[in-house]
Structures are given as structure tokens and as C-alpha cells.
Amino acid sequence: MINRKVKGMSKKDILAGEHFLNGDVACAEGAIAAGCRLFAGYPITPQSEITETMAYRLPKIGGYFLQMEDELASIAAVLGGAWGGMKAMTATSGPGFSLMMENLGLGIMTETPCVIVDVQRGGPSTGLPTATSQGDMMQARWGTHGDHEIIAYAPASPQEMFDQTVKAFNQSERFRQPVLVMADEVVGHMMERVIIDPDKIEIYPRRKPSVPYEKFLPYKGGPDMVPEMACAGEGYRVHVTGLTHDERGYPDLSVESQDKLMHRLIGKIRDNADQIIEVEEENIHGADVVLVTYGIAARTALRAMELAEEKGIKVGMLRLITVWPFPLKEVRKIAGDVKGLIVPELNLGQIVREVERAAAGQCPVRLVGHAGGGLHRPENILSAIEEVAR
Amino acid sequence: MRHVATKPEPQIVKDVHHPLEHYFRSERLPHIWCSGCGLGTAMSCLAAAFGHLKLDVDDVSVVSGIGCSGRLAGYMRPDSYHTTHGRALPFATGLRVALEKTKPGHKVVVFSGDGDLFSIGGNHFIQAARRNIDLSVFYVNNFNYGMTGGQVGPTTPMGAKGTTAPYGMFEHPFNLPYLAASSGAPYVARWTTLHVHRLQKAMEEAIQKKGFTFVEIIAPCPTNYGRRNGLPTGLDEMRYYREEAVIENFADPKDAEIIPGKPFIVGTFVDEDKPDYLEIYQKFVADHFEVAAK
Ligand code: SF4
């Protein structure tokens, strides 16, 4: 169910038109366009422009901006806001993302729709506060404790910061799960043209209960395993807990209950992965070498591709728009047809592990890593292409 | 083998209802709390306060953190949120702010324990009080971590024993009415589970008052705290409250410290008017922008 109209939301609140924006501002505008009217955050570089834009914009359009005491509180307020019936978001970077891991788990367990943006910077710890990295990709996947699935986008431009933030909100409502936007410092701070057409923006509305209170089971999945959501004060008297719970939402700490809940929580993402996974293919057919990459690293890889083509090498690119769930099938299919896969990423080997797993020995997989703080040099990616193509 | 008395089977009389039953998830009762525990009393007082205020079940939400006290949310019929350890207040902050838009007038009550609100959640407490966000915070102080087996915490009196202080607590405890007042809370009170009527009345005042309101509830934890500290039953603890609790309204919160075996003050410490966060926000928005925040 896709809706173009949302109650209480006016199209004039959207920053329509053609603009020259940095990625962080585009992300904030994407959230507003998606219907986000509650933002809770804490200052941290390099995402501060998201928080500042929200602080400026939200009070003017009937929204609420909360500067919380830390990132633990920011994400907690976002979850509370979602249960209060609003679309809510927070944005952070490495150190703050670490603090958010606790309540990311609560969001997954209680099936709370919301969006968390991580504008990645170099780590570990304080690392490189003002410089880029893609070092949080595995933390995004497994950072919160316990078994779970996650949805994460990897924007490569300010335009994608806008578009993917909208998508992240829609998927969070569709699957009732926190959704991550894994940006980085360069995408956050680069300024480019961003085109915003309110008529083309599609909004997935909250899944409201379709049955009366007496019949409503707040944690019973529908045909797609996703339950309907009754927010505070709507008369459904829901109990929401981070404990393992039954379909009524009541704590049930039995092996059977855990088994049932975990299969549904994980199943709703795994079994619907085709509706989540998005990749962009370029020159894949007939390619000898394929670059599997994502986010800002893909833009440097594009230049390496051009250089390789000039040298007569047939090279393609599979760009991951959603990094999680990992596009296993898409990578596996390509791995059988090429001499090798090359994974440029701004870390010393994270997503390359997934690519290796997907390739399953069909072809060599080669990492072109970078410790962060800057971008790859296209020549480094080019020499990897030349070696693999040989 | 020691003789263990079997619990009497509850007699369920059909079609007879407790006047406050609609505030409870009866299907989840009996609760998990130990006999002699003060949490049941505190929960009854809260339901009685709701009842006396004629608060509709659908016009209030209850938020809890983690611990024995945190389980309260699961027993009460309104929409209830059992969050993560220490994070009840920021969760409730987001909830309350969102409700200002989706359902103005809806009340949000936070009910949690001393470890949850003042150890792991301590920063959230002072910030929420400073912000003067419209929440009613009812907090049970039983001087220890009950759920995890009697470890000491930030409210454990110096010298008192716990499983992580086998030789007695070496640290100074918080004086919480003082902390709440100095953080800016416009309503601060303390009662014990012996003072049920006064506790209920304080809860009513807190719910009705706009802004960050705070009621400390001194309660027995015979299983984990009392047993190790000379008050082995709930009744012993009640006797202690009767003998040592001194009712004094508007006392200086500085004097509210609790030292075992010595008199301690209960009563209302602070009751003043002060604009709350949402009021200030809404007023600014209404005065400056075309779209009101509602
Ligand atoms: S451990 Fe203490 S606080 Fe917990 S239920 Fe038992 S008596 Fe109450």
C-alpha cells in the first residue's frame, strides 16, 4: 500500500525543486519529505548539519526537535516518538552509533519503525572525527546483541541521501523495523545538485490495526509476518516489552516462545529480502571483472572503470544500494561468469567477506581496502582490475 | 526438609469486579513480586490515583525501565512500555512529545526503580528534570538491585550490606529529593509504602501537575535488602517506617538524606509553578510560525 497523501502533512513542507545541497542537509530534507516530524539527536561530527537542519526546519512545519543528553537518549526518544504515533529519526556518527546499539536492539525486538543515520567517520574510538570511513558496516549488521536481521542503505551522493532516507522511512514502516542509512563523511559534506519532486515521493503509511481492540494481537504477524501497530492512546492497550513475548506482547520466556518470535522477526526480513534488496548494475554482461562496491567508494571505482575500459578491459560494476540484507543471490550469479570480483571499500575488509561468501569459490575475490581518512586513488583500483583481468 | 506452606487457591467469584480492575491486566496477575515487597502496594496506590482522578485507561501510558519495579508496566492495562535499563525517561520523553501532536492531553507516567533511574539512567533523570518535560515519575527506592539478587546501588546507605558489598557499602548514597529539586523538578515528594493515602494523593498531584513531577516511594525489599540489613520481613520494614518517618512538608530537600536507624523526612518538598518544555515550545511556535506545532 503506497500512499501519496499523509494526514496532517502538507506538500508545501517539502523542499521542492532543484537545489545545491550537501548530503547531510539532503538527508534531513528527505526525512521531512517522508513525513518525519520528530527528531532527537546529539551533536557529533560529521552529521551535525542533519541535526541543525532538523532544529531549524521542524518547528516551522509542526514538528518537534529534541536535543537529547546523549545518543542513548536520542534513540530512546525516537522509539518513544514512534510509539507516540510519529515518524521519527536520529542521526549520528561512529562513537554515537556505538551507544545506539543498545536501543537499536529494543527497536528490533519491539518492531518499532524509525530511521537511524550513521554518517561514518574514521575509527575505532574518536578516530578521525572529520574524515571519512566505511568502518561501521559490520557494526551496522551485528552491533546490537542477539540474533537479528537489519536493513541498511548506502548512499553515494546527496541526491541519494535524500532518496534513500525516504526509502528508509518507507521500509521501516513496511517491515516495522529500525532502518539504517549508512552514509559517510564525504557524502555527508559534498555539495551537489538535488532534485526534489513532491509528486514523485511515495509514502508507506503506518500499518494500523484492522480489527477492534478485543480481537487485536499486537505481535501476531500478518501474511508477510509483519504485525499491525497500535500506538499510544489509540485504545488498543498494548504492552510493549524488550523481553521475549507472545502474540499478545506479554513476556513469555520459554524456549518455544523465543523460537517462534525469532523465526518471525528474522523471517519477515529474510523471506521478503527481494522486496528490500536493491543493486545497480553497470556493464555486467560480458565483463571479465566486476567491481562490487557501495557508497562513496563506488564513485572512485567509477573512475577506475573508465581507466580500465580505456585499456580495453571489460569491467562492470555491481553497486549495493542496500548493503543489508546482503544481495547474496545477485553476487553469486555474477561470480560464475567472471574472472574475479574486486571490492573497493573504505575499511580493511568488511563487506569483502560477504562477497567471498557469496562467490563461494567460483572466482577469486580481491579487496581494495583503505584505512579511511580519505578516498581510494582510482589507480589503486585500476591496478587490481589489471591483475585480476590478466 | 523444611515445611513449605502451600499457597491457598484463589477463589474467583464470578461477576464480582474490583473497582480498579480495569486498570490492570488481570490475565497477567498474580505478579512476580515477593511477599512483603513494596511494589504491589505502590502499584495499588497508582491504580487508586488513576481511579480517583477518573483517568480513562486510554488517556494514560505507563513507561518502565528494567528491574523488579520495571515489571509494573506489564501489569497495568493502559498502553505500557517496558524499555531498556535506564532508558525509561528518554523513551517517555519521545512518547510524550509525540503525543502532544497525536493526542494532546494524554498523560505519561514513568514507574521505575532506584538502580534504573539513578545509576544507569542517572544522567537522563537530571536532564529530564532540567528540561521540565511533562512526565510523572514514580520511583521505588528499596536501596538495592532486587531483580539481580541484592547488589548495592546509588541509593544504598553507607555501611548497608549487599551481595556486591559483603563488608558493607563504602560509598555515599544519593539524596534524591535534593537531586530532583536542584535539577529543576517543580514537584518533589517522598512517601513510604506505609503512607498509602498520602502516597496516592501525591501521585494524583503529580499526575495533574504539568511538568516534570517526582515522587520517591520508599519501599521494602525483604528478600534482598531487608534480609541482609536487619529488616527481614515486610512488616519489619513497615515498623521502621512508622518509627522513623517524620512527616514534614516543604522541608529543605538538603535535609532529606536517609541514614538507617535514624529519623528521615517524608512529605512534599517542592510544589511550584514553572512552564514546561512543551508549553515553551508551543508558545514560540504559535507566536512565530504559521503552522502551530499541534
Ligand atoms: S527482590 Fe525485592 S524488589 Fe524484587 S520483588 Fe522481591 S522483594 Fe520486591
Side-chain angles (χ1 to χ4, degrees):
Chain A
M1 202 195 344
I2 291 285
N3 213 339
R4 294 232 165 106
K5 277 200 203 112
V6 173
K7 206 174 122 236
M9 236 185 85
S10 163
K11 256 189 206 167
K12 71 176 171 23
D13 297 338
I14 301 175
L15 186 76
E18 232 179 282
H19 306 275
F20 189 57
L21 302 177
N22 84 15
D24 283 349
V25 174
C27 171
E29 291 299 339
I32 288 167
C36 172
R37 290 295 178 272
L38 192 149
F39 182 95
Y42 184 79
I44 189 169
T45 309
Q47 70 72 41
S48 291
E49 296 92 328
I50 301 179
T51 301
E52 289 161 1
T53 304
M54 290 309 235
Y56 180 74
R57 289 274 277 134
L58 286 177
K60 293 184 166 195
I61 55 170
Y64 292 93
F65 169 82
L66 282 163
Q67 180 166 322
M68 299 304 288
E69 48 273 23
D70 55 30
E71 290 86 350
L72 303 163
S74 301
I75 184 167
V78 162
L79 299 180
W83 282 102
M86 285 178 86
K87 290 193 178 181
M89 178 171 99
T90 186
T92 189
S93 186
F97 196 52
S98 291
L99 291 184
M100 289 185 183
M101 290 300 119
E102 169 194 61
N103 269 344
L104 172 61
L106 182 67
I108 293 169
M109 191 60 145
T110 55
E111 300 180 72
T112 308
C114 62
V115 172
I116 300 154
V117 183
D118 177 11
V119 185
Q120 296 173 84
R121 64 191 231 185
S125 190
T126 315
L128 302 168
T130 59
T132 189
S133 159
Q134 292 177 319
D136 305 347
M137 300 310 295
M138 278 293 170
Q139 183 186 19
R141 178 65 188 87
W142 294 113
T144 193
H145 62 273
D147 206 4
H148 60 275
E149 282 290 335
I150 200 87
I151 302 174
Y153 285 89
S157 64
Q159 180 72 53
E160 285 196 347
M161 282 290 261
F162 181 92
D163 295 340
Q164 293 183 12
T165 304
V166 174
K167 279 184 190 173
F169 270 100
N170 286 342
Q171 296 291 37
S172 82
E173 297 292 342
R174 163 83 180 79
F175 293 101
R176 276 196 58 187
Q177 157 123 350
V179 173
L180 309 176
V181 177
M182 299 301 292
D184 77 282
E185 184 274 329
V186 173
V187 165
H189 284 159
M190 68 171 18
M191 293 192 74
E192 280 185 343
R193 186 165 61 168
V194 178
I195 300 168
I196 300 167
D197 179 356
D199 292 326
K200 289 205 176 123
I201 295 167
E202 295 182 328
I203 301 295
Y204 196 95
R206 187 147 296 178
R207 295 166 160 240
K208 294 281 185 192
S210 54
V211 292
Y213 163 61
E214 297 74 30
K215 291 191 182 149
F216 185 60
L217 286 169
Y219 284 95
K220 185 178 166 59
D224 58 356
M225 290 185 253
V226 184
E228 292 164 340
M229 184 168 179
C231 294
E234 292 181 347
Y236 284 86
R237 301 166 194 179
V238 168
H239 181 56
V240 175
T241 177
L243 286 167
T244 296
H245 44 271
D246 60 19
E247 289 179 341
R248 294 173 301 171
Y250 293 171
D252 176 353
L253 310 186
S254 65
V255 175
E256 295 72 28
S257 175
Q258 170 77 358
D259 184 74
K260 196 171 166 200
L261 179 62
M262 289 306 293
H263 273 97
R264 189 175 64 71
L265 288 182
I266 286 181
K268 75 176 177 182
I269 305 296
R270 274 192 201 162
D271 294 7
N272 295 312
D274 290 348
Q275 294 173 46
I276 304 167
I277 290 172
E278 257 185 85
V279 292
E280 191 184 80
E281 294 183 351
E282 201 163 335
N283 299 343
I284 296 280
H285 299 289
D288 286 331
V289 179
V290 168
L291 303 168
V292 181
T293 184
Y294 56 94
I296 192 66
R299 297 195 51 172
T300 324
L302 218 51
R303 175 67 186 142
M305 242 173 106
E306 285 171 7
L307 296 173
E309 277 160 6
E310 282 168 19
K311 295 193 171 198
I313 305 171
K314 284 189 201 149
V315 49
M317 184 190 288
L318 182 76
R319 183 164 74 92
L320 315 181
I321 311 272
T322 51
V323 173
W324 306 115
F326 187 76
L328 195 96
K329 272 193 287 183
E330 289 74 1
V331 175
R332 186 158 291 170
K333 211 175 89 212
I334 296 168
D337 303 333
V338 295
K339 286 187 183 164
L341 298 173
I342 294 173
V343 184
E345 54 181 339
L346 294 177
N347 56 57
L348 298 184
Q350 295 195 14
I351 296 304
V352 69
R353 293 160 175 262
E354 291 296 307
V355 177
E356 278 167 0
R357 193 166 68 85
Q362 297 178 85
C363 72
V365 176
R366 171 101 175 247
L367 165 75
V368 184
H370 187 301
L375 302 179
H376 291 97
R377 294 188 59 78
E379 296 73 26
N380 294 352
I381 303 173
L382 175 67
S383 54
I385 295 172
E386 285 174 321
E387 281 168 36
V388 173
R390 207 174 283 147
Chain B
M1 276 247 299
R2 267 201 302 167
H3 175 72
V4 180
T6 49
K7 272 192 190 168
E9 276 295 310
Q11 297 291 310
I12 296 178
V13 188
K14 273 208 174 131
D15 301 323
V16 175
H17 295 281
H18 189 279
L20 297 172
E21 194 184 306
H22 58 291
Y23 290 119
F24 291 99
R25 300 182 188 270
S26 315
E27 67 276 21
R28 292 216 63 223
L29 297 172
H31 55 62
I32 60 161
W33 298 318
C34 312
S35 65
C37 177
L39 284 164
T41 312
M43 183 163 73
S44 301
C45 289
L46 182 57
F50 286 171
H52 196 235
L53 293 175
K54 299 198 168 53
L55 204 56
D56 193 292
V57 188
D58 296 324
D59 289 341
V60 61
S61 295
V62 181
V63 181
S64 282
I66 295 293
C68 291
S69 315
R71 290 301 185 97
L72 175 131
Y75 299 128
M76 302 218 66
R77 184 62 83 194
D79 290 307
S80 49
Y81 303 91
H82 182 216
T83 64
T84 39
H85 199 19
R87 316 293 167 230
L89 280 173
F91 183 98
T93 299
L95 184 69
R96 179 64 189 84
V97 168
L99 282 160
E100 188 70 8
K101 192 173 178 79
T102 58
K103 200 180 169 215
H106 191 93
K107 304 277 185 190
V108 178
V109 164
V110 175
F111 191 103
S112 217
D114 44 318
D116 188 75
L117 282 171
F118 296 103
S119 188
I120 189 164
N123 187 31
H124 306 311
F125 179 83
I126 57 172
Q127 304 289 346
R130 174 187 63 76
R131 201 173 277 131
N132 198 18
I133 182 88
D134 181 33
L135 297 172
S136 311
V137 181
F138 303 134
Y139 125 83
V140 166
N141 184 358
N142 54 25
F143 307 108
N144 82 128
Y145 289 86
M147 178 68 88
T148 44
Q151 295 83 7
V152 292
T155 54
T156 311
M158 205 193 285
K161 286 188 174 157
T163 52
T164 48
Y167 313 111
M169 180 67 166
F170 299 132
E171 300 171 15
H172 299 274
F174 270 133
N175 167 353
L176 289 164
Y178 186 35
L179 180 72
S182 56
S183 302
Y187 182 92
V188 180
R190 171 201 276 162
W191 296 101
T192 78
T193 51
L194 179 75
H195 303 85
V196 283
H197 292 296
R198 289 173 171 105
L199 174 57
Q200 179 193 327
K201 190 165 163 281
M203 286 173 156
E204 288 173 25
E205 286 173 0
I207 292 168
Q208 281 175 301
K209 195 175 179 78
K210 267 253 191 186
F212 188 87
T213 54
F214 174 68
V215 181
E216 178 177 42
I217 307 159
I218 308 293
C221 169
T223 307
N224 277 317
Y225 181 77
R227 199 158 54 93
R228 295 187 175 91
N229 291 288
L231 299 162
T233 69
L235 204 58
D236 295 324
E237 198 110 14
M238 290 295 165
R239 282 196 194 101
Y240 161 58
Y241 301 159
R242 195 185 57 194
E243 281 154 25
E244 304 295 359
V246 180
I247 300 176
E248 191 186 334
N249 285 319
F250 303 104
D252 186 342
K254 247 186 191 169
D255 302 329
E257 55 187 358
I258 297 175
I259 302 165
K262 293 206 174 146
F264 64 93
I265 302 173
V266 295
T268 307
F269 292 94
V270 180
D271 189 356
E272 61 185 32
D273 289 321
K274 187 176 170 182
D276 71 283
Y277 168 82
L278 284 164
E279 201 178 317
I280 297 167
Y281 194 99
Q282 303 285 37
K283 188 176 176 331
F284 184 89
V285 167
D287 290 351
H288 292 82
F289 305 130
E290 268 177 38
V291 190
K294 267 183 192 170

